[in-house]
Amino acid sequence: MSLLSLFGFGNSKIKEALRNGAEVIDVRTAYEFDSGHVPNSINIPVDRISVNVERIKDMKKPVIFCCATGNRSGQAADIMKANGFHEVFNGGSWENVIRLVNKL
């Protein structure tokens, strides 16, 4: 997660993506996901993103990745960008994404 995002400057793009029907993908482990997650998000652990690139592209929506701190979601976003998908955002922690969803 970038320094700007830590201070909320990247949140406007994420909120806009949410308003445009973005899919929220939580890249934590299934155990972490089961302990709490963004409503209606899906769980694809970061180590499974590479094998799910086409599935994610086929969603034909902007994608917001989240995790516990923003590290794994940043890795997932980088994987998707490296595979030609550009409507992808690192939402940081899943708690941050919930706050943004609740402000819509």
Side-chain angles (χ1 to χ4, degrees), residues 1-19 64 88-92 96-97 100:
M1 178 177 256
S2 74
L3 188 58
L4 292 176
S5 295
L6 288 174
F7 294 103
F9 297 113
N11 287 341
S12 62
K13 289 183 179 183
I14 295 168
K15 282 201 279 191
E16 182 179 339
L18 287 166
R19 282 189 210 101
I64 300 167
V88 60
F89 304 91
N90 178 356
N96 179 61
V97 176
L100 296 175

Side-chain angles (χ1 to χ4, degrees), residues 50-93:
S50 293
V51 297
N52 282 283
V53 167
E54 291 306 316
R55 174 183 170 204
I56 295 167
K57 284 182 178 180
D58 287 346
M59 292 176 182
K60 301 198 185 310
K61 298 179 180 183
V63 173
I64 300 167
F65 291 108
C66 63
C67 62
T69 64
N71 185 33
R72 289 175 283 182
S73 53
Q75 292 172 24
D78 289 345
I79 290 167
M80 292 304 297
K81 288 176 185 175
N83 281 279
F85 191 79
H86 300 289
E87 283 192 296
V88 60
F89 304 91
N90 178 356
S93 72

